Amino acid sequence: DAITLLDMHIEISLSLSAGQMTDLIYTEKELVQSLKEYIKAEESKLAAVKSWANKLDVLTRVSTSDPEGYLAHPVNAYKLMKRLNTEWSELESLVLQDPSDGFISNMSVHRQYFPDEEDEKGAAKALMRLQDTYQLDSESFSKGKLPGVHSSAFLTVDDCYDMGKTAYNDADYYHAVLWMQQSLRQLDAGEEAVVSKADVLDYLSYSVYQMGDLPRAIELTRRLVAIDPSHQRAGGNLRYFERLLSKQLIELKQVYQPASEEPIQLGTYARPKDHLPERETYEALCRGEGVKMTNARRSRLFCRYRDGNRNPRLLLKPVKEEDEWDSPHIVRYLDVLSHEEIEKIKELAKPRLARATVRDPKTGVLTTANYRVSKSAWLEGEEDPVIARVNQRIEDITGLTVETAELLQVANYGVGGQYEPHYDFSRKDEPDAFKRLGTGNRVATFLNYMSDVEAGGATVFPDFGAAIWPRKGTAVFWYNLFKSGEGDYRTRHAACPVLVGSKWVSNKWIHERGQEFLRPCGLTEVD
């Protein structure tokens, strides 16, 4: 909305004396002068707002011409979060200097839908997660050089600085170093920025120190002191770092080696270990590395038509089945969902997509978790004929009843969306996981891929080295339990982070109850 002048109401009583009236004349003159100054300030402000508007107009024209394509690029998604959380707030502060009712009411209406600080932080962490999983340096992100991307989206010096600060505030010095270094690199190349070189060096030198690289921390701090000799902390830090290094060299009986001339990049420092023991295997599979598909194994994989034991609904149009893995047996079904069915499922799910949950193993209650980053919705068969039809199709194809299955879960994994390695079934140490449902454990998983993904987003099985890539309209199926009801621990799997694109899936978790005669118990524990 255009910024309007505030209405100024001046009430004058005619019973005032001539002297008072004269005073009001001068008061009015002062008000006019004040009004002129206000107009000047407002015009200056309006010029600034117009500059914002023109920039954002160009941006939104690009983004709204192809929203999914625009958001498919993780940098665009991060910058959207940053813009709405930080930059629009700056614009709001500018306008609030002399409030404009139209603008503020609009801001108030829309603010409830804006991402907050937590969301911006989450988007920054998503970029870092992609950086780690796909071994991309900060420059690749900054320059928009991502696999499968045809258009570029850039990160400015200030964007890189904010990324580094997000990591720093989380005591994640590994990523703080990478992003502050990129910010410095772009500043050194002459790029203009709001942030100063001194601020970047301040964060970078301390983060490098935290990574245990004292010679480089000293070199960076010296550079900071040279730029800003009066800097509050720099002098003290430099003396502390030098004393610390001197002490270390004496203890280790070593001579001083100056800091490496090589710029800090991916691989300069080791990434700290985290809670996930199979992190390296999982991430390698996500990159398509370490897949244990041998020629001998490939020779055991076949494709076939399935009619579901002469199921009437599959007799005239049997389903195409392809083996993806031999043991445990994982199959892919082709042409399971049509484009129209996929669009209908997405349409039903979109209004209720919420942060995906996982079942707490101790309580059985659904809760959110950092290792699962997606939005999900649950759809009932009664809601729409398409859902009922999909449920029936899953029953026909698998030969298992879906009467005791969980509702169809629809999930959307956007930028950095992932589900780290997990089991679909409940283990012996979590007996109450599905107690409330009263339908036994999750015997099998039927996973529909409802979109192609430009880069990333594979389903991987770290235990035996399989990677299954999304293909729109197909579905993969595997058993989580042996026929004995014992869990097949090899089926621990993960949804890799989406690097470029948007990944839509829907899944049906099929439970034990009702399968007694459809999948009878085997003679041994691992049949």
Side-chain angles (χ1 to χ4, degrees):
D1 283 26
I3 295 172
T4 56
L5 293 176
L6 291 170
D7 292 327
M8 292 188 176
H9 299 290
I10 303 170
E11 288 185 16
I12 299 173
S13 167
L14 294 179
S15 62
L16 291 174
S17 68
Q20 287 171 315
M21 291 285 284
T22 306
D23 287 344
L24 284 177
I25 294 287
Y26 288 105
T27 301
E28 189 178 37
K29 190 179 179 185
E30 284 175 24
L31 283 172
V32 168
Q33 185 57 37
S34 173
L35 185 60
K36 282 181 178 176
E37 287 168 6
Y38 169 75
I39 290 167
K40 192 178 175 183
E42 194 70 60
E43 283 173 344
S44 166
K45 184 176 74 178
L46 197 53
V49 174
K50 274 182 180 173
S51 169
W52 275 86
N54 292 336
K55 184 181 85 171
L56 293 165
D57 185 40
V58 172
L59 242 166
T60 51
R61 253 183 280 157
V62 172
S63 61
T64 52
S65 64
D66 177 19
E68 281 210 34
Y70 180 82
L71 289 174
H73 197 299
V75 167
N76 283 336
Y78 164 67
K79 291 194 77 166
L80 177 65
M81 292 288 165
K82 186 185 170 207
R83 244 185 349 263
L84 287 174
N85 178 46
T86 308
E87 295 178 13
W88 275 95
S89 294
E90 289 169 11
L91 180 55
E92 183 185 9
S93 298
L94 176 66
V95 174
L96 274 169
Q97 288 166 12
D98 273 303
S100 164
D101 291 345
F103 176 79
I104 299 306
S105 62
N106 257 334
M107 283 292 291
S108 301
V109 167
H110 294 294
R111 177 161 291 287
Q112 59 184 312
Y113 304 113
F114 279 10
D116 58 18
E117 199 172 333
E118 239 355 84
D119 293 317
E120 184 183 336
K121 191 174 164 185
K125 285 185 172 180
L127 284 191
M128 294 173 208
R129 191 156 53 239
L130 293 173
Q131 185 177 22
D132 294 339
T133 305
Y134 298 105
Q135 293 185 344
L136 299 163
D137 57 31
S138 302
E139 191 167 18
S140 296
F141 273 110
S142 181
K143 304 298 177 208
K145 297 172 189 167
L146 299 181
V149 175
H150 310 297
S151 64
S152 290
F154 301 98
L155 287 170
T156 63
V157 168
D158 296 301
D159 292 331
C160 295
Y161 173 76
D162 287 338
M163 287 283 293
K165 217 167 151 189
T166 298
Y168 182 92
N169 290 338
D170 250 14
D172 175 4
Y173 301 110
Y174 171 77
H175 288 108
V177 166
L178 292 175
W179 286 100
M180 288 299 173
Q181 173 67 35
Q182 182 57 30
S183 186
L184 184 63
R185 188 182 287 127
Q186 288 175 223
L187 273 174
D188 286 343
E191 190 180 315
E192 287 188 16
V194 174
V195 67
S196 70
K197 200 173 280 192
D199 284 341
V200 175
L201 283 165
D202 189 16
Y203 278 102
L204 181 57
S205 58
Y206 189 76
S207 298
V208 164
Y209 155 68
Q210 286 286 354
M211 292 305 292
D213 188 348
L214 272 172
R216 202 188 292 260
I218 290 167
E219 183 248 320
L220 289 164
T221 312
R222 280 176 182 159
R223 194 175 160 190
L224 170 56
V225 171
I227 290 172
D228 184 1
S230 61
H231 192 281
Q232 263 186 313
R233 287 178 303 279
N237 281 356
L238 183 56
R239 288 189 293 276
Y240 174 69
F241 294 159
E242 286 173 339
R243 275 201 312 273
L244 207 57
L245 182 62
S246 175
K247 190 181 170 190
Q248 280 184 13
L249 292 173
I250 292 165
E251 283 174 1
L252 298 168
K253 296 178 181 173
Q254 291 176 347
V255 292
Y256 174 72
Q257 295 287 330
S260 167
E261 293 292 315
E262 287 293 308
I264 299 164
Q265 54 199 4
L266 210 65
T268 300
Y269 303 121
R271 177 158 50 122
K273 299 283 181 195
D274 68 2
H275 65 281
L276 209 57
E278 68 262 70
R279 169 75 64 194
E280 286 178 20
T281 308
Y282 152 58
E283 290 182 350
L285 287 169
C286 289
R287 296 190 296 272
E289 300 166 12
V291 178
K292 295 174 184 171
M293 178 56 74
T294 60
N295 286 332
R297 172 165 278 125
R298 194 173 279 110
S299 70
R300 296 194 290 272
L301 305 180
F302 299 95
C303 56
R304 59 194 74 79
Y305 284 105
R306 281 269 186 225
D307 64 8
N309 291 327
R310 300 191 60 76
N311 185 301
R313 280 177 291 272
L314 295 178
L315 271 177
L316 294 178
K317 192 187 176 184
V319 69
K320 299 167 190 164
E321 182 185 88
E322 292 179 353
D323 292 331
E324 283 282 354
W325 208 260
D326 56 343
S327 179
H329 194 206
I330 303 172
V331 295
R332 188 194 294 261
Y333 297 108
L334 277 57
D335 306 320
V336 173
L337 295 177
S338 68
H339 174 73
E340 291 71 27
E341 286 172 329
I342 287 170
E343 290 307 304
K344 186 65 185 176
I345 293 168
K346 282 160 72 173
E347 180 194 317
L348 292 167
K350 276 177 182 175
R352 55 187 111 158
L353 281 176
R355 175 78 187 269
T357 53
V358 294
R359 203 170 286 281
D360 186 303
K362 292 183 175 64
T363 63
V365 174
L366 292 172
T367 180
T368 60
N370 289 331
Y371 58 83
R372 186 175 194 190
V373 185
S374 65
K375 300 274 182 161
S376 70
W378 301 81
L379 302 178
E380 296 195 42
E382 295 77 35
E383 288 183 53
D384 193 278
V386 166
I387 307 302
R389 196 159 68 234
V390 169
N391 287 341
Q392 183 62 61
R393 194 173 300 148
I394 292 170
E395 188 169 286
D396 294 342
I397 291 170
T398 62
L400 301 171
T401 180
V402 296
E403 287 298 312
T404 54
E406 292 172 52
L407 301 180
L408 187 72
Q409 185 187 36
V410 182
N412 178 217
Y413 296 83
V415 50
Q418 62 160 11
Y419 194 172
E420 287 183 349
H422 63 282
Y423 301 102
D424 279 352
F425 64 92
S426 72
R427 272 78 66 218
K428 286 177 179 175
D429 59 345
E430 40 185 46
D432 296 336
F434 302 116
K435 194 174 181 180
R436 293 180 180 204
L437 300 177
T439 52
N441 212 338
R442 287 173 176 164
V443 67
T445 298
F446 194 97
L447 177 64
N448 295 303
Y449 292 119
M450 303 201 301
S451 65
D452 294 311
V453 180
E454 287 157 82
T459 305
V460 298
F461 294 79
D463 188 80
F464 48 90
I468 298 170
W469 302 92
R471 271 158 51 199
K472 185 178 175 179
T474 69
V476 290
F477 174 77
W478 68 86
Y479 282 103
N480 298 306
L481 307 179
F482 292 110
K483 287 183 177 180
S484 62
E486 289 295 315
D488 187 344
Y489 283 80
R490 297 172 300 171
T491 60
R492 185 169 164 86
H493 61 286
C496 294
V498 173
L499 178 57
V500 182
S502 177
K503 178 183 171 186
W504 283 90
V505 297
S506 57
N507 65 280
K508 198 79 173 166
W509 279 311
I510 301 169
H511 281 247
E512 289 177 289
R513 297 294 168 265
Q515 320 301 346
E516 291 82 358
F517 298 107
L518 300 172
R519 191 187 187 230
C521 201
L523 294 175
T524 71
E525 204 173 82
V526 293
D527 276 358

